[in-house]
């Protein structure tokens, strides 16, 4: 559905009652992507990171983090857990960990794909055009790379060792390599204007993304942004609703960050546009160390606990798990094997 920048800004404004917006987004979701919810098992396989993004708890140099890295065998075990819990997709996420370079990742992808046949999403940051091709050929189907904010000035304030244009070039390379591509932003960042949030949403559409993830910014006390104001759930939900209305058939998760600032955050997101959940399937002993922000949920649960919790959540909402892989509703590129 077309909305212009002014209309989006008006709908994002905190003065405006969001009830109508949320109802419209729920309707667009139902009519275009249906009632089924896709479960993507999240494996946080390394919290080592070479970057120093100011908002992020696993930034390089944060001595308070206990660093860990799962072995290839442990990653494969997580994938087996996903199969057991009847998830059809795993998301392999890490910091930008030089130990797991694309060659090392490729051999893990091949092993996981061959044994499990799961759909695989990577979320491992910025790499070269050639490396993205390598990862795609090794069996990864999808890739998540949030651009975090469309505001160039804010971007450079948040990500001191990243470049705005490079980030968008990576998104183009991912698409060229044949990935189903997801991106997204944080909402409620310090200094983020309604105008720039409207531009975020317009960019989601322009980039023809397959997936869009949005979560509230949550200030981490072990980062330079300690003490900053958190984003609100409501602002994040307005972003989700508008993203659904404007992009129509993208996959939109009810994110962990939403569930972390409000115990009903993910349920609310599923009722205003979201159609994906990302249950954590990382091993219990490392969960609390993937500490992007404080108050993260599911750190003391086992994979089966989150599966049960999510099934109960869906039942309560009158929704059900999706059956298939939940590939892009836009892209036609098939998995290489
Ligand atoms: N608050 C909320 N979200 C965060 N992320 C990283 N740090 C924070 C934080 N402090 C998000 C970023 C990143 C994703 C993996 O987690 O958007 O892309
Ligand atoms: Fe992990 Fe609810 S999803 S406990």
């Amino acid at each position: 559905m077309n909305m212009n920048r002014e209309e989006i800004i008006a709908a994002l404004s905190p003065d405006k009652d969001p009830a109508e917006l949320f109802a419209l987004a729920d309707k667009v979701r139902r009519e275009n992507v249906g009632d089924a919810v896709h479960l993507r098992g999240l494996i946080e396989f390394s919290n080592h990171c070479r970057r120093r993004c100011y908002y992020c708890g696993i930034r390089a140099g944060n001595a308070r983090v206990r660093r860990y890295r799962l072995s290839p065998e442990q990653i494969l075990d997580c994938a087996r857990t996903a199969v057991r819990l009847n998830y059809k997709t795993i998301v392999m996420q890490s910091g930008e960990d030089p130990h797991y370079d694309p060659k090392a990742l490729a051999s893990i992808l091949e092993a996981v794909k061959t044994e499990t046949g799961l759909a695989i999403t990577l979320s491992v940051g910025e790499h070269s055009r050639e490396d993205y091709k390598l990862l795609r050929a090794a069996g990864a189907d999808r890739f998540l790379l949030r651009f975090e904010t469309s505001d160039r000035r804010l971007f450079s304030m948040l990500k001191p060792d990243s470049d705005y244009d490079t980030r968008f070039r990576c998104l183009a390379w991912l698409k060229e390599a044949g990935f189903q591509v997801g991106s997204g932003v944080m909402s409620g960042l310090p200094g983020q204007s309604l105008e720039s949030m409207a531009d975020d949403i317009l960019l989601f559409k322009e980039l023809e993304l397959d997936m869009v993830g949005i979560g509230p910014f949550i200030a981490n006390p072990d980062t330079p942004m300690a003490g900053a104001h958190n984003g609100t759930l409501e602002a994040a939900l307005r972003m989700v609703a508008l993203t659904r209305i404007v992009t129509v058939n993208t996959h939109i998760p009810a994110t962990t960050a939403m569930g972390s600032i409000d115990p009903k955050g993910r349920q609310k997101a599923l009722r205003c546009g979201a159609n994906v959940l990302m249950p954590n399937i990382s091993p219990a002993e490392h969960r609390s160390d993937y500490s992007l922000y404080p108050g993260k949920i599911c750190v003391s649960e086992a994979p089966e606990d989150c599966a049960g919790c999510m099934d109960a959540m869906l039942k309560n909402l009158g929704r059900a798990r999706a059956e298939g892989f939940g590939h892009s509703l836009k892209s036609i590129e098939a998995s290489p094997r």
Side-chain angles (χ1 to χ4, degrees):
M1 190 176 289
N2 271 327
M3 281 180 82
N4 65 34
R5 191 166 184 261
E6 283 62 45
E7 290 167 334
I8 296 174
I9 293 168
L12 285 169
S13 162
D15 316 326
K16 183 135 197 263
D17 182 345
E20 250 178 63
L21 174 73
F22 292 171
L24 175 60
D26 199 42
K27 178 167 181 281
V28 173
R29 189 269 308 154
R30 194 177 329 109
E31 289 174 357
N32 294 277
V33 305
D35 276 337
V37 174
H38 301 280
L39 269 60
R40 325 287 205 194
L42 178 63
I43 308 169
E44 296 159 333
F45 68 90
S46 165
N47 69 353
H48 290 260
C49 193
R50 67 190 176 102
R51 303 220 186 239
R52 292 168 300 141
C53 305
Y54 288 139
Y55 49 84
C56 184
I58 63 168
R59 61 197 300 273
N62 181 7
R64 294 245 170 101
V65 189
R66 231 178 349 175
R67 302 285 170 176
Y68 73 91
R69 182 181 287 128
L70 302 188
S71 67
E73 188 53 38
Q74 284 177 303
I75 297 173
L76 195 55
D77 258 338
C78 291
R80 292 176 183 130
T81 300
V83 172
R84 183 160 49 82
L85 296 173
N86 208 16
Y87 302 154
K88 312 293 184 206
T89 296
I90 52 168
V91 180
M92 290 173 50
Q93 184 174 81
S94 70
E96 288 195 13
D97 178 358
H99 173 86
Y100 271 134
D101 64 8
K103 280 207 177 59
L105 284 176
S107 75
I108 299 173
L109 291 168
E110 276 160 15
V112 170
K113 198 74 173 183
T114 306
E115 182 180 320
T116 68
L118 289 164
I120 306 175
T121 305
L122 283 177
S123 176
V124 296
E126 295 178 24
H127 291 279
S128 70
R129 188 184 201 167
E130 292 317 306
D131 283 340
Y132 284 148
K133 286 186 186 155
L134 175 78
L135 293 167
R136 173 75 181 119
D141 305 275
R142 315 187 188 126
F143 202 108
L144 305 176
L145 185 73
R146 289 188 181 179
F147 59 78
E148 312 296 0
T149 173
S150 59
D151 179 334
R152 203 178 261 282
R153 219 190 84 251
L154 184 56
F155 183 99
S156 63
M157 283 167 36
L158 296 171
K159 296 174 75 71
D161 38 24
S162 299
D163 175 71
Y164 185 88
D165 295 312
T166 304
R167 195 109 182 142
F168 285 93
R169 204 171 302 126
C170 284
L171 286 169
W173 287 341
L174 288 165
K175 185 165 280 199
E176 182 196 283
F179 283 105
Q180 299 166 42
V181 180
S183 192
V185 297
M186 286 174 283
S187 56
L189 290 161
Q192 189 182 37
S193 63
L194 295 186
E195 287 76 10
S196 84
M197 289 157 82
D199 289 339
D200 295 344
I201 294 165
L202 291 169
L203 254 180
F204 296 154
K205 171 143 183 145
E206 191 183 316
L207 293 169
E208 299 182 324
L209 296 170
D210 303 295
M211 298 94 79
V212 179
I214 296 160
F217 162 70
I218 305 172
N220 188 318
D222 298 333
T223 66
M225 290 173 82
H229 286 293
N230 289 346
T232 63
L233 177 66
E234 191 181 290
L237 294 176
R238 283 178 199 263
M239 293 276 290
V240 163
L242 286 160
T243 300
R244 171 59 66 207
I245 293 164
V246 169
T247 68
V248 184
N249 63 355
T250 44
H251 289 304
I252 304 178
T255 55
T256 305
M258 289 177 169
S260 300
I261 47 162
D262 180 320
K264 287 266 175 289
R266 290 172 301 176
Q267 289 89 327
K268 290 176 186 171
L270 288 168
R271 298 184 64 177
C272 68
N275 72 319
V276 171
L277 284 166
M278 298 172 69
N280 198 318
I281 52 170
S282 307
E285 65 263 43
H286 298 299
R287 279 195 185 198
S288 61
D289 299 324
Y290 204 84
S291 47
L292 307 181
Y293 48 79
K296 193 166 166 236
I297 50 171
C298 306
V299 291
S300 41
E301 276 75 12
E304 23 293 297
D305 298 330
C306 292
C309 172
M310 287 192 174
D311 283 329
M313 187 191 299
L314 292 181
K315 185 150 189 252
N316 204 263
L317 291 169
R319 307 268 282 274
R321 284 199 201 195
E323 308 238 314
F325 286 112
H327 283 308
S328 171
L329 297 163
K330 306 194 159 138
S331 147
I332 27 90
E333 196 88 29
S335 177
R337 69 191 73 194

